[in-house]
């Protein structure tokens, strides 16, 4: 068995999960649908943060109660066979969305003359390498960059602060209840996806006690930073302008004036964010691969990592094609894709906390 | 595995040098000017820096030239210029976009932006200025031997805004927001080549208004930057002189400090240095918009003004600034311009987007009355010190 789980501590686990929470929370948002009718995303994310924490604690409790060392052990066959593919698909979706956003930023602002495939190949090489090397490499790499990554996010918020104006947030409660609840649901799953991945690699993180601590630290620190970032966007632009932007968070860094010393920070910050995004994508790909090899008893995780990396990159490239069918699928995934992860979580919470059974 | 890692690293490193251009093969566009052309709709003027390998004693590198081309669109004019230059034009260092007054008054700014600034890789937070006269002369009036790149001049504009309040510093981002939303209208820095002739602004009533291109000054720079251009939507509707611009800044919370001339009741002219004493409070109730502005005043006055206490002086200054502000508000309101950002207050009373979108802002704004309350605190102490 070559699953490359490795062993790493709470700090490493918290680091990779924190980066994943921030990347998923900021860069997995579909701006055109989220900001179309108003901006309440920061409010939805605040509620989502609490909900995600509760669901995570429920899952950890379920795992403790059932004596399961990983998430999928909660459900005995055949449920594991049914639930695992859904979680795998959900994790790969969460790998695709932020990478696509960064690809758009690269093409739009940096490599204007390049094609999408040219940049995507570099992403592919990094993902295959890093995910194949295993979770210990991913976690320890995250530990190295987590502080600078979080600083890079915070610096963007500070750079844009001179242009913050409260009137950009008004009208304050402009979304209908149904649309707001939908945003709460999708925000909850955006926060939950890194935590689910953390529970998949639970064994390498020395068990549920350590995982629980790491997950809560990541959720609180990453979640608060994500909410502040979403609030910053709301203070800088009207929701109608945000809906038209492909990369509003990157645009925050361009608010600095030419005479200011912080002029060249936008490219530097983007570099750091991109490193974080690729690490997170490798994290999701690895976790999805580990889930598959465990569920279907595959010996080596590395070929699966390579295949899933290719699938992720291909899906990312498909997203930029000018095709009505692909656009409608992508829109559906942005709006309702959270159901793919929500369904197995509900089942796992029910099985773990309600049903009494012995593990084989 | 090691070989695979080495191969992948090797692939990753073989990227940036293909098709690269060295720095001296670029000409960097520092400023862009757009105005009405004589034969074609647009005349585009670029101030261009072509770096050289040997900077001069001031540290400036290369030559600065002004080039122009006409075109049927902005892109066409730039392509014409690009074709006539030996170097590749690079807009990565563009810091100023200038429109001529006629261009802005004929509502041509938005239609000229037929391309996203991102296509030219121009930052959207570049400074925007409206210019009197032809832009080539204005650019040439910016150049000085000590600052050929005009970088220092641009820093000075920012400093002027902070220390005198007599002009504004507006970015393209802010202008675009004002064009697309009803929350405010743009107020933009104004400049012009000095013609040694005084002109009045849209409010009137100043003996010597500070307006770019109309200052009685002669110096190293032929161009003066002072005062502001006022927009209603996407169209320029008037000019405010330096002192009236300062009053707008006070009401919108962008004022830091500045000096005004006050005609005292005994006919004397006082020079008063004003400092902001907190953000203004703006509220709308019914058909009245109220501005409460707090200022600290440092009065330089000749000795022996009789029978004037500090309280009387404070009350007089408060009344003077309030009444002048009201005059400015009326003038811009008559031109359908919301440079006092009343829209930013009005949107806070909306329950949802539909209500805001359906609001006929121009009609509501046109019927508003403005009430200015100014609270002055003299910077020096108690009564009768003013008599010293």
């Amino acid at each position: 068995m070559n699953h490359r789980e490795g062993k790493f501590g709470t700090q490493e686990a918290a680091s990779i999960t924190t980066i994943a929470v921030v990347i998923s929370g900021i860069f997995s948002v579909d701006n055109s649908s989220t900001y179309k009718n108003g901006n309440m995303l920061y409010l939805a994310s605040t509620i989502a943060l609490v909900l995600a924490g509760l669901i995570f604690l429920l899952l950890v409790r379920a795992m403790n109660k059932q004596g399961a060392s990983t998430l999928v052990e909660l459900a005995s066959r055949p449920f594991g066979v049914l639930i695992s593919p859904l979680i795998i698909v959900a994790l790969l979706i969460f790998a695709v969305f932020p990478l696509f956003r960064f690809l758009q930023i690269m093409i739009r602002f940096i490599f204007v003359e390049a094609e999408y495939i040219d940049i995507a190949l570099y992403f592919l090489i990094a993902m295959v390498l890093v995910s194949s090397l295993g979770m210990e490499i991913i976690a320890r790499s995250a530990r190295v960059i987590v502080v600078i990554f979080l600083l890079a996010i915070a610096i963007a918020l500070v750079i844009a602060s001179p242009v913050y104006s409260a009137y950009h947030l008004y009208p304050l409660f402009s979304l209908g209840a149904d649309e707001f609840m939908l945003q709460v649901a999708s925000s909850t799953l955006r926060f939950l996806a890194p935590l689910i991945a953390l529970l998949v690699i639970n064994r390498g993180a020395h068990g549920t006690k350590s995982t629980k601590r790491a997950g809560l630290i990541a959720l609180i620190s990453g979640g608060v930073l994500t909410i502040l970032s979403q609030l910053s966007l709301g203070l800088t632009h009207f929701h109608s302008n945000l809906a038209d932007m492909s990369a509003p968070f990157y645009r925050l860094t361009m608010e600095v004036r030419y005479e200011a010393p912080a002029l060249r920070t936008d490219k530097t910050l983007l570099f750091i964010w991109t490193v974080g995004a690729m690490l997170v994508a490798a994290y999701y790909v690895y976790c999805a691969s580990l889930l598959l090899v465990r569920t279907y008893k595959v010996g080596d995780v590395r070929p699966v990592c390579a295949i899933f990396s290719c699938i992720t990159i291909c899906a990312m490239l498909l997203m930029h094609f000018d095709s009505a069918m692909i656009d409608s699928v992508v829109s559906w995934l942005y709006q309702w894709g959270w159901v793919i992860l929500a369904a197995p979580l509900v089942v796992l919470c029910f099985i773990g906390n309600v049903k009494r059974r012995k593990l084989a | 595995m090691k070989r695979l890692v080495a191969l992948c690293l090797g692939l990753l490193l073989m990227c940036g040098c293909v098709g690269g251009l060295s720095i001296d093969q670029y000409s960097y566009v520092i400023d862009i000017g757009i105005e009405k052309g004589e034969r074609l709709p647009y005349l585009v003027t670029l101030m261009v820096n072509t770096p050289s390998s040997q900077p001069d004693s001031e540290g400036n590198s290369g030559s600065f030239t002004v080039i122009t081309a006409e075109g049927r669109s902005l892109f066409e004019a730039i392509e014409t210029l690009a074709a006539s230059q030996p170097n590749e034009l690079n807009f990565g260092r563009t810091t100023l976009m200038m429109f001529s007054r006629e261009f802005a008054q004929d509502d041509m700014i938005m239609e000229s932006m037929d391309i996203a600034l991102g296509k030219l890789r121009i930052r959207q937070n570049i400074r925007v200025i409206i210019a009197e006269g032809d832009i080539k002369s204005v650019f040439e009036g910016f150049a000085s031997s000590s600052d050929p790149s005009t970088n220092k001049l641009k820093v000075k504009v920012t400093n002027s805004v902070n220390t005198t309040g007599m002009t504004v510093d507006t970015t393209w981002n802010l202008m675009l927001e004002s064009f697309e939303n009803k929350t405010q209208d743009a107020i933009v820095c104004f400049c012009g080549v000095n013609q040694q002739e005084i002109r009045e602004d849209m409010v009137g009533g100043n003996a010597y208004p500070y307006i770019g291109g109309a200052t009685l000054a002669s110096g190293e720079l032929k161009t003066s930057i002072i005062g502001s251009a006022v927009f209603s939507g996407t169209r320029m509707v008037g000019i405010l002189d330096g002192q009236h611009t300062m009053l707008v800044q006070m009401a919108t919370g962008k004022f830091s400090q500045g000096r005004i001339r006050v005609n005292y009741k005994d006919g004397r002219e006082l020079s008063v240095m004003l400092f902001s004493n907190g953000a203004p409070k703006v509220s709308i109730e019914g058909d009245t918009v109220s501005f409460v502005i707090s200022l600290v005043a440092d009065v330089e006055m000749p000795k022996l003004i009789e029978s004037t206490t500090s309280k009387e002086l404070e009350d007089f200054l408060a009344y003077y600034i309030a009444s002048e502000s009201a005059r400015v508000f009326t003038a811009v309101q008559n031109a359908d311009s919301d440079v006092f950002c009343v829209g930013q207050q009005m949107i806070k009373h909306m329950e949802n987007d539909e209500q805001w979108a359906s609001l006929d802002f121009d009609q509501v704004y046109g019927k508003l009355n403005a009430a200015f309350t100014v609270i002055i605190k003299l910077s020096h102490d108690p009564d009768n010190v003013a008599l010293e």
Side-chain angles (χ1 to χ4, degrees):
Chain A
M1 291 286 210
N2 189 1
H3 290 174
R4 298 212 161 237
E5 285 177 79
K7 290 287 178 196
F8 45 90
T10 309
Q11 285 190 11
E12 286 78 11
S15 299
I16 184 62
T17 315
T18 304
I19 297 174
V21 165
V22 174
I23 290 286
S24 295
I26 298 176
F27 296 101
S28 294
V29 176
D30 178 30
N31 301 311
S32 56
S33 59
T34 303
Y35 296 116
K36 191 170 63 173
N37 297 322
N39 182 8
M40 291 174 70
L41 183 63
Y42 56 98
L43 295 171
S45 293
T46 307
I47 298 173
L49 185 67
V50 175
L51 287 176
L54 289 172
I55 296 172
F56 175 65
L57 289 173
L58 267 177
L59 286 169
V60 169
R61 182 174 178 272
M63 285 172 68
N64 284 335
K65 197 170 170 182
Q66 300 296 327
S69 64
T70 64
L71 189 69
V72 182
E73 281 182 25
L74 274 186
S76 59
R77 290 176 179 273
F79 290 115
V81 176
L82 293 174
I83 288 173
S84 294
L86 291 174
I87 299 180
I88 290 168
V89 168
L91 289 175
L92 291 180
I93 288 172
F94 277 102
V96 169
F97 283 161
L99 270 190
F100 177 68
R101 192 66 63 210
F102 279 95
L103 187 63
Q104 274 188 320
I105 294 173
M106 296 274 192
I107 297 291
R108 170 92 169 73
F109 294 102
I110 317 291
F111 303 111
V112 179
E113 307 290 333
E115 298 290 335
Y116 278 81
I117 184 86
D118 299 334
I119 314 283
L121 282 176
Y122 286 101
F123 285 179
L124 175 65
I125 295 169
M127 279 174 62
V128 169
L129 251 184
V130 176
S131 59
S132 302
L133 287 171
M135 192 58 221
E136 192 167 332
I137 302 295
I138 295 171
R140 294 192 190 280
S141 302
R143 175 68 184 87
V144 169
I145 71 162
V146 68
V147 173
I148 196 169
F149 174 83
L150 295 177
L151 266 177
I153 298 285
I155 287 170
L157 306 188
V158 170
I159 282 175
S161 58
V163 299
Y164 291 163
S165 298
Y167 71 88
H168 286 127
L169 291 171
Y170 287 84
L172 275 182
F173 304 110
S174 48
L175 293 183
D178 49 350
E179 199 174 340
F180 181 68
M181 292 315 297
L182 209 57
Q183 285 196 6
V184 170
S186 52
S187 297
T188 305
L189 274 299
R190 271 198 295 273
F191 282 142
L192 258 182
L195 301 174
I196 299 304
L198 185 63
L199 291 176
V200 169
I201 54 158
N202 187 50
R203 239 187 268 175
H206 298 286
T208 50
K209 191 175 170 192
S210 169
T211 305
K212 179 179 163 186
R213 196 185 324 158
L216 288 176
I217 290 171
L219 189 61
I220 292 169
S221 54
V224 168
L225 194 56
T226 300
I227 292 167
L228 287 176
S229 303
Q230 289 165 352
L231 184 61
S232 299
L233 287 176
L235 290 171
T236 309
H237 300 286
F238 280 111
H239 70 86
S240 50
N241 299 122
L242 286 172
D244 292 335
M245 292 181 195
S246 56
F249 196 72
Y250 180 63
R251 292 271 292 269
L252 282 184
T253 63
M254 301 175 91
E255 294 297 333
V256 69
R257 301 304 298 275
Y258 190 81
E259 300 89 20
L263 174 64
R264 304 285 177 210
T265 49
D266 57 326
K267 306 268 191 312
T268 311
L269 295 178
L270 178 64
F271 171 76
I272 297 169
W273 300 342
T274 307
V275 169
M278 288 202 282
L279 199 60
V280 165
Y283 171 53
Y284 284 137
V285 163
Y286 174 81
C287 292
S289 307
L290 187 66
L291 204 49
L292 187 139
V293 299
R294 287 250 187 83
T295 306
Y296 300 104
K297 310 287 185 236
V298 177
D300 196 334
V301 76
R302 292 173 299 174
V304 184
C305 288
I307 291 165
F308 279 166
S309 299
C310 292
I311 290 172
T312 305
I313 298 299
C314 289
M316 192 175 74
L317 287 170
L318 276 175
M319 283 176 73
H320 97 277
F321 276 179
D322 194 13
S323 156
M325 190 181 76
I326 293 176
D327 285 346
S328 60
V329 168
V330 170
S331 295
W332 186 91
L333 280 174
Y334 269 122
Q335 197 170 11
W336 295 102
W338 54 271
V339 174
I340 299 174
L341 189 56
L345 289 183
V346 167
V347 172
L348 287 175
C349 281
F350 175 76
I351 291 173
N353 283 294
V354 173
K355 190 179 169 196
R356 279 192 168 278
R357 69 169 179 86
K358 278 186 186 176
L359 282 175
Chain B
M1 191 61 182
K2 282 182 189 168
R3 271 180 287 200
L4 177 63
V5 171
L7 177 65
C8 289
L9 277 175
L11 284 172
L12 278 170
L13 291 170
M14 287 189 292
C15 50
C17 299
V18 177
L21 289 176
S22 64
I23 194 170
D24 58 357
Q25 287 175 292
Y26 283 109
S27 287
Y28 293 93
V29 177
I30 308 295
D31 307 318
I32 299 178
I34 306 171
E35 60 195 306
K36 289 166 75 168
E38 284 176 17
R39 276 164 288 221
L40 294 175
Y42 302 102
L43 171 63
V44 172
T45 307
L46 305 181
M47 167 137 12
V48 169
N49 171 220
T50 305
S52 76
S53 54
Q54 316 232 314
D56 61 21
S57 57
E58 306 278 315
N60 295 310
S61 166
S63 60
F64 294 85
T65 48
V66 177
I67 54 178
T68 66
E70 292 197 16
R72 285 165 297 189
S73 70
L74 178 59
F75 232 163
E76 187 177 276
I78 288 175
E79 280 174 348
T80 307
L81 281 168
S84 66
Q85 292 300 298
N87 292 348
E88 183 89 14
L89 286 180
N90 185 315
F91 290 84
R93 295 184 191 173
T94 307
T95 57
L96 173 67
M97 182 169 281
M98 185 178 286
F99 301 100
S100 71
R101 183 181 53 79
E102 291 82 8
F103 195 82
Q105 282 180 332
D106 288 349
D107 201 2
M108 292 176 73
I109 292 181
M110 272 311 278
E111 73 176 59
S112 70
M113 293 288 121
D114 58 349
I115 45 158
L117 292 183
K119 274 280 183 193
L120 293 173
R121 296 215 244 175
I122 297 174
R123 289 169 175 270
Q124 289 210 303
N125 66 345
I126 57 170
R127 181 178 276 116
V128 179
I129 292 183
I130 305 296
E132 182 71 64
D134 74 284
I135 290 182
K136 186 164 187 278
S137 304
V138 171
F139 277 171
E140 284 165 355
F142 277 161
S144 70
S145 55
S146 59
D147 182 29
S149 67
T150 70
N151 278 339
K152 291 177 192 155
L153 177 65
K154 285 161 197 168
V155 172
K156 181 181 167 285
V157 170
T158 311
N159 290 341
S160 282
V161 172
N162 292 331
T163 57
T164 70
M166 288 213 273
T167 189
V168 292
D169 195 8
T170 305
T171 63
W172 174 247
N173 254 343
L174 280 173
M175 266 192 96
L176 206 56
E177 185 179 296
S178 70
F179 288 169
E180 294 173 349
N181 298 283
K182 294 185 285 194
T183 47
Q184 75 263 341
D185 280 314
I187 179 169
V188 182
C189 186
F190 191 76
C191 75
V193 177
N194 285 333
Q195 303 293 330
Q196 304 285 310
E197 280 174 18
I198 299 174
R199 58 189 290 196
E200 284 230 310
D201 71 351
M202 63 193 296
V203 181
N206 272 335
Y208 177 65
Y210 296 95
I211 296 180
T215 56
L216 301 174
S218 176
E220 195 182 354
L221 295 182
K222 306 276 184 296
T223 300
S224 56
I225 304 176
I226 202 162
S228 57
V230 165
F231 280 74
S232 172
T234 56
R235 190 173 59 90
M236 179 180 158
V237 294
I239 300 167
L240 289 176
D241 71 18
Q243 307 245 306
H244 292 144
T245 302
M246 200 192 304
L247 294 173
V248 174
Q249 301 280 70
M250 284 178 195
T252 54
K254 297 185 186 101
F255 176 73
S256 175
Q257 62 182 49
R259 186 180 297 280
I260 62 166
R261 290 180 339 276
V262 172
N263 294 321
Y264 195 52
K265 50 190 176 184
D266 63 0
R268 239 181 270 247
E269 267 209 1
L270 303 180
S271 177
V272 182
M273 187 70 186
L274 295 166
F275 300 88
S276 172
N277 194 19
K281 294 181 183 48
V282 187
S283 57
I284 299 178
E285 270 176 59
D287 60 355
T288 303
V289 54
S290 304
F291 297 87
V292 179
I293 303 167
S294 284
L295 300 165
V296 172
D298 187 3
V299 182
E300 288 171 15
M301 45 201 289
K303 293 180 183 180
L304 299 177
I305 293 185
E306 296 168 357
S307 306
T308 301
T309 64
S310 296
K311 175 79 173 60
E312 283 172 357
L313 192 53
E314 283 174 351
D315 289 345
F316 176 80
L317 289 175
Y319 168 78
Y320 183 88
I321 293 170
S323 56
E324 277 297 291
S325 299
R327 274 194 342 115
V328 176
F329 185 91
T330 303
V332 299
Q333 185 185 35
N334 289 340
D336 287 328
S337 176
D338 179 27
V339 292
F340 280 85
C341 303
V342 172
Q344 291 178 12
Q345 301 304 318
M346 223 176 266
I347 196 173
K348 294 179 182 176
H349 296 268
M350 299 291 121
E351 285 179 5
N352 51 50
D353 246 11
E354 286 77 27
Q355 196 182 4
W356 176 241
S358 63
L359 178 75
D360 186 351
F361 178 80
D362 289 337
Q363 200 200 26
V364 173
Y365 174 66
K367 291 181 183 162
L368 280 178
N369 301 310
F372 289 86
T373 306
V374 180
I375 302 165
I376 296 281
K377 189 171 174 302
L378 286 180
S379 63
H380 49 273
D381 263 341
D383 283 346
N384 300 325
V385 172
L387 299 177
E388 293 177 0

